[in-house]
């Protein structure tokens, strides 16, 4: 089946630093989505991307849909303590349901 | 309701017992999905419902797992003869139909944490 390779698996950063994470796949996808999951909660949609090359921002978050349609990255600028959580990329290609990456656990140190 | 509601939020069961997990989707969302999330891992697709179409059961890990949905409302995920490896958080999500142009993003519930002892 379709698989997404998400990296890094975990990150420890200082408050105020920028952070970047990415997802790649051997398959072509039509949609890239980025979710954040807080402890004990379900994932919440952060950014959705629908076109190759698309660059979208949501506050301090910026994500891009790779031009090859096989990758995407998420950047967080000027991190704050509430950015802590697990970030998942997700995508859909031929399948109707979303395929999720394995997640990036982000820890923000004061 | 305003969001996707799942119950119970936590369930501890003895190995070999059956369990039923419930999901109330957002009104108007015709698509409903079940995912499983093992500790420290990503989301594993289980099953997908879209309106009155036949569900996509391709993600169900064994015949001990089944799910039902009546129309475009509540869904139940049933696990029979539970095993310890079934311990996980079971997440339900709903959305507008895939390909409807409504965004493709899901709204997730908070999940049911299942522990099989």
């Amino acid at each position: 089946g379709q698989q997404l390779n998400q990296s890094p698996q975990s990150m420890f950063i200082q408050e105020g630093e920028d952070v970047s994470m990415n997802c790649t796949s051997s398959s072509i996808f039509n949609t890239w989505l980025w979710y954040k999951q807080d402890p004990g909660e379900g994932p919440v949609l952060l950014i959705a991307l629908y076109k190759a090359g698309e660059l979208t921002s949501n506050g301090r978050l910026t994500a891009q849909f790779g031009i090859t349609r096989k990758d995407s990255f998420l950047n967080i600028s000027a991190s704050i303590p509430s950015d802590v959580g697990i970030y998942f990329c997700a995508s859909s290609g031929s399948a109707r349901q979303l395929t999720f990456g394995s997640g990036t656990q982000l820890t923000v140190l004061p | 309701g305003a969001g996707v509601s799942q119950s119970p939020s936590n369930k501890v069961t003895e190995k070999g017992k059956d369990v039923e997990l419930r999901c109330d989707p957002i009104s108007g969302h015709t698509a409903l999905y079940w995912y499983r999330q093992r500790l420290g891992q990503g989301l594993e697709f289980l099953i997908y419902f879209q309106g009155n179409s036949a569900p996509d059961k391709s993600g169900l890990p064994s015949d001990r797992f089944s799910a039902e949905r009546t129309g475009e409302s509540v869904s139940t995920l049933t696990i029979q003869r539970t095993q310890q490896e079934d311990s996980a958080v079971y997440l339900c999500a709903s959305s507008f139909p895939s390909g409807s142009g409504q965004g493709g993003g899901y709204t997730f519930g908070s999940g049911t944490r299942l522990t099989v002892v």
Side-chain angles (χ1 to χ4, degrees):
Chain A
Q2 299 168 330
Q3 286 193 322
L4 300 181
N5 300 308
Q6 186 171 352
S7 64
Q9 193 172 30
S10 63
M11 301 182 74
F12 292 80
I13 61 170
Q14 294 293 136
E15 184 177 353
E17 287 184 344
D18 298 344
V19 60
S20 183
M21 57 194 80
N22 69 85
C23 270
T24 61
S25 174
S26 57
S27 303
I28 289 176
F29 288 104
N30 301 319
T31 306
W32 281 96
L33 305 168
W34 285 91
Y35 285 82
K36 182 192 178 199
Q37 186 178 29
D38 291 325
E41 299 293 329
V44 173
L45 182 65
L46 299 174
I47 290 182
L49 303 158
Y50 305 107
K51 288 172 52 177
E54 180 180 357
L55 182 72
T56 297
S57 293
N58 178 7
R60 293 179 296 106
L61 308 177
T62 302
Q64 184 157 30
F65 191 148
I67 197 72
T68 64
R69 295 168 61 194
K70 293 182 178 181
D71 63 324
S72 177
F73 71 75
L74 173 71
N75 287 342
I76 305 172
S77 63
S79 58
I80 60 177
S82 62
D83 291 334
V84 166
I86 305 175
Y87 291 80
F88 291 100
C89 61
S91 195
S92 65
S94 57
R96 289 173 294 176
Q97 70 274 10
L98 289 177
T99 298
F100 284 80
S102 55
T104 295
Q105 171 74 61
L106 178 64
T107 301
V108 180
L109 304 171
Chain B
V4 176
S5 177
Q6 289 188 247
S7 61
S9 55
N10 281 284
K11 176 72 176 177
V12 180
T13 190
E14 290 181 353
K15 179 181 171 181
K17 295 281 179 69
D18 298 351
V19 294
E20 252 188 26
L21 313 180
R22 177 188 168 104
C23 174
D24 270 287
I26 291 174
S27 178
H29 280 187
T30 58
L32 186 147
Y33 312 81
W34 284 97
Y35 283 80
R36 178 170 69 178
Q37 185 176 28
R38 290 200 167 106
L39 184 65
Q41 298 189 21
L43 280 68
E44 175 188 359
F45 168 72
L46 296 177
I47 189 168
Y48 160 59
F49 295 91
Q50 173 56 61
N52 293 317
S53 302
D56 177 349
K57 304 180 182 179
S58 60
L60 294 179
S62 78
D63 59 8
R64 296 187 295 104
F65 287 73
S66 62
E68 291 184 349
R69 186 184 188 196
T70 305
E72 296 179 356
S73 60
V74 171
S75 174
T76 56
L77 176 69
T78 301
I79 308 173
Q80 295 179 307
R81 306 181 301 282
T82 52
Q83 303 295 313
Q84 288 186 326
E85 70 250 27
D86 299 335
S87 296
V89 175
Y90 290 82
L91 290 161
C92 173
S94 69
S95 76
F96 292 108
S98 174
S100 69
Q102 298 272 10
Y106 300 172
T107 301
F108 281 89
S110 296
T112 294
R113 180 174 299 277
L114 175 66
T115 304
V116 182
V117 298

